[in-house]
Amino acid sequence: MASTRSVRPTPTAEIAGWDAEADVVVVGYGVAGAAAAGEAAAAGADTLVLEWTGGWGGAAALAGGFIYLGGGTAVQKACGFADTPQEMYKFLMAAMGPGADPAKVGPYCEHSVAHFDWLTDIGVRFNPTFYDQPGSVPGADEGLMYSGGENAWPFYDIAVPAPRGHLPALPPGATRIGERGGGYYLMEPLVRRATELGVRAEFGVRADALCVESDGRIAGVVATRFGRPWNVRARRGVMLAAGGFTYNDDMVGRFAPEVVTRYGAAIEQHDGHAIRMAQAVGADLGRMDGAEVTPGLSAQLIYRGIMVNGLGQRFVTEDTYPGRIGQAILYRADGTAYLLIDQRAYEAAPASPHERTSGPNGKPVPTWLSESLPELESLAALPAGSLESTVSLYNRHAARREDPVLHKTQRWIAPLESPYGLFDLRQPRRAFSLGGLRTDPHGRVLHVAGEPIPGLYAAGRCASGIPVWGYASGTSLGDGSFFGRRAGRAAAADG
Ligand SMILES: Cc1cc2nc3c(=O)[nH]c(=O)nc-3n(C[C@H](O)[C@H](O)[C@H](O)COP(=O)(O)OP(=O)(O)OC[C@H]3O[C@@H](n4cnc5c(N)ncnc54)[C@H](O)[C@@H]3O)c2cc1C
């Protein structure tokens, strides 16, 4: 899908009349939009949100609800983890990959406890319990989990590990992912607060282009409502919070070609249009090639096996964040990977709730089963002897519960013994875009010439934020809510 609507900016001189106006106009009522609108209104700005769909929520309300927070939150403390902003910073600067912005990661870590406290003050609840298992979501309704590979190599050597994936508590009967996933219980308090502060919302309104004054200041939005043009004036600022470009094949093809057609953790409205609206007034872009990629298999199985590439060689430590494994498969193994596991480890792995399963035991079934490694090499067309050699090296060290090659942690190391199962992981993985508009730490969109574009703000996945290349679960709802708030305050004070 590609957005074909024109993004050409409209000079205000050509606007015959305004259909609506506000101090701050927010495009998109997902996590960044709700956080921004609430803070703009709290700062005294008359605030209007334009939302394309029929209601608030966006991808955020469908999300599992991980919010990446740390530095010593009340939940971390209650679960017995000591964390500091400094250790959180060291981890994020390493794990978010080349391009991680100290000017954003710094304040994000420094004010993370305050952001957590603010979220609980507005009514987001977190259970003070820790889930000590790998997976994409907790088993029950635990409020804290490792969600970025903090306790896996190389990160345990870089920063003192602490779990930072915080999850909103669910009411009885609710499910972690779905129509009202964990993210809904973050969104509901954000929207309730914004509404109480007087934020107005127009649903079924799609932003198409920006309106620009003759001096270059952004003065509003040209939108479509009931199929007709609808012009909205912004007296202080326009805040873009419309999500990323996962569903724009043309943009993905140009910026992150490896992830074309791999839609995941996004909604169709993430069509890149808002990014293009800002590009049309000269906005710069940040690391558009970044993508979160899922590995396509339960972490409970991956941690217990060994992952090999098309040469039958290990290439990523298996007990790390699954998204890191997904990226390694796509970018380092050219999309070709297999997981070798033995029967004992397979049986020891609990079925993972909320993960795709195919077997009668609630677990995926290996693609090939065999008592012999040479037979598996032949079935998977791996070079003769490659798997045997990899397993022999792994087992030699695993007997002493060591892994000098990829430094898996002891808990997950055990020699692999016949009979074996081999999972073919060459199937398409799901991915979502991380790149977006270049912004300063207050959400001001930067022009390619370097300075902020007057009156234009962005946060959430249409901006380049905390996760630029690497990812940790919760950095999207985390940076969307954190920098959304900052952008809302800055826009309210503009002009
Ligand atoms: C199933 C699932 C699970 C996930 N789990 C997690 C998780 O646990 N933790 C995490 O951090 N992230 C998670 N994510 C990702 C996360 O939800 C998104 O990255 C995040 O919501 C992005 O925030 P946003 O404000 O940029 O976009 P959204 O929250 O999607 O909000 C954008 C809004 O803008 C609207 N919009 C788009 N274009 C326009 C337009 N032109 N005019 C008007 N409105 C427009 C959209 O309809 C939408 O309501 C998950 C996503 C999914 C789908």
Side-chain angles (χ1 to χ4, degrees):
M1 190 173 104
S3 160
T4 51
R5 291 127 54 201
S6 173
V7 291
R8 200 170 294 285
T10 305
T12 44
E14 291 177 19
I15 301 277
W18 298 107
D19 298 295
E21 64 179 272
D23 293 332
V24 175
V25 174
V26 178
V27 175
Y29 216 167
V31 65
E39 289 296 83
D46 169 31
T47 304
L48 173 65
V49 186
L50 311 179
E51 167 55 47
W52 184 354
T53 67
W56 54 262
L62 306 173
F66 278 107
I67 312 165
Y68 201 86
L69 299 162
T73 67
V75 168
Q76 287 181 311
K77 285 181 181 159
C79 295
F81 293 98
D83 192 15
T84 64
Q86 293 74 23
E87 296 304 318
M88 182 180 178
Y89 178 85
K90 282 194 257 174
F91 170 77
L92 281 176
M93 286 304 291
M96 299 299 100
D101 183 355
K104 285 187 181 151
V105 177
Y108 185 73
C109 297
E110 191 186 336
H111 303 294
S112 189
V113 169
H115 190 49
F116 169 90
D117 291 343
W118 181 83
L119 288 171
T120 55
D121 283 351
I122 68 164
V124 184
R125 291 191 312 110
F126 300 94
N127 287 327
T129 47
F130 173 61
Y131 184 61
D132 181 32
Q133 290 289 322
S136 55
V137 287
D141 195 13
E142 292 89 348
L144 185 66
M145 197 176 151
Y146 279 103
S147 69
E150 297 84 349
N151 54 348
W153 187 79
F155 303 118
Y156 59 54
D157 282 340
I158 293 171
V160 177
R164 303 192 183 96
H166 289 64
L167 293 121
L170 303 175
T175 53
R176 180 57 61 195
I177 292 181
E179 277 286 302
R180 287 187 175 193
Y184 178 88
Y185 300 98
L186 164 69
M187 283 302 301
E188 197 275 331
L190 285 174
V191 172
R192 185 168 13 91
R193 173 177 183 265
T195 308
E196 283 167 6
L197 287 165
V199 169
R200 294 174 287 137
E202 287 285 348
F203 298 103
V205 176
R206 191 191 69 201
D208 293 327
L210 293 166
C211 301
V212 194
E213 302 278 15
S214 54
D215 61 1
R217 186 177 175 82
I218 303 305
V221 171
V222 173
T224 302
R225 184 170 183 257
F226 301 130
R228 294 215 167 81
W230 208 60
N231 303 322
V232 186
R233 180 170 171 232
R235 291 183 288 259
R236 298 192 197 169
V238 170
M239 156 81 190
L240 300 174
F245 61 95
T246 302
Y247 277 86
N248 186 320
D249 287 347
D250 180 50
M251 288 176 76
V252 173
R254 277 186 292 132
F255 294 119
E258 288 89 349
V259 300
V260 167
T261 71
R262 295 178 167 94
Y263 307 130
I267 52 174
E268 279 180 44
Q269 287 73 22
H270 288 201
D271 64 357
H273 193 83
I275 296 173
R276 295 175 59 242
M277 281 164 61
Q279 281 186 276
V281 295
D284 204 354
L285 300 172
R287 246 210 103 179
M288 295 290 280
D289 54 341
E292 192 273 350
V293 186
T294 59
L297 189 66
S298 147
Q300 287 284 357
L301 294 167
I302 295 175
Y303 275 41
R304 289 173 164 85
I306 58 170
M307 183 80 70
V308 297
N309 60 17
L311 299 175
Q313 294 169 340
R314 290 174 73 210
F315 61 98
V316 61
T317 189
E318 292 86 0
D319 65 341
T320 191
Y321 172 58
R324 198 168 164 80
I325 292 175
Q327 276 197 337
I329 294 175
L330 194 58
Y331 299 116
R332 301 223 307 269
D334 294 329
T336 301
Y338 306 88
L339 184 86
L340 181 76
I341 194 164
D342 64 12
Q343 186 174 344
R344 182 198 47 76
Y346 181 80
E347 284 170 2
S352 262
H354 316 297
E355 305 217 39
R356 279 181 286 181
T357 57
S358 52
N361 53 5
K363 293 188 241 182
V365 175
T367 317
W368 300 288
L369 296 166
S370 175
E371 295 183 352
S372 129
L373 292 173
E375 187 184 20
L376 287 177
E377 287 163 2
S378 154
L379 287 167
L382 293 169
S386 61
L387 212 46
E388 266 193 304
S389 148
T390 298
V391 171
S392 154
L393 178 66
Y394 179 77
N395 280 354
R396 178 144 57 91
H397 297 293
R400 294 191 303 276
R401 301 193 66 200
E402 290 172 0
D403 176 18
V405 178
L406 287 167
H407 314 283
K408 210 185 204 190
T409 45
Q410 276 199 346
R411 177 179 173 188
W412 303 105
I413 298 177
L416 295 167
E417 290 160 7
S418 176
Y420 306 102
L422 191 65
F423 286 94
D424 183 348
L425 298 179
R426 288 174 299 174
Q427 81 275 17
R429 271 156 289 280
R430 292 172 297 144
F432 73 91
S433 67
L434 299 178
L437 299 166
R438 238 186 105 217
T439 52
D440 75 5
H442 296 283
R444 297 184 190 94
V445 176
L446 300 176
H447 193 273
V448 285
E451 71 279 359
I453 297 173
L456 189 61
Y457 299 82
R461 284 288 60 82
C462 69
S464 177
I466 294 295
V468 286
W469 171 254
Y471 194 75
S473 282
T475 49
S476 231
L477 297 181
D479 83 350
S481 54
F482 183 85
F483 290 104
R485 289 179 64 201
R486 288 187 146 215
R489 288 196 293 263
D494 201 342

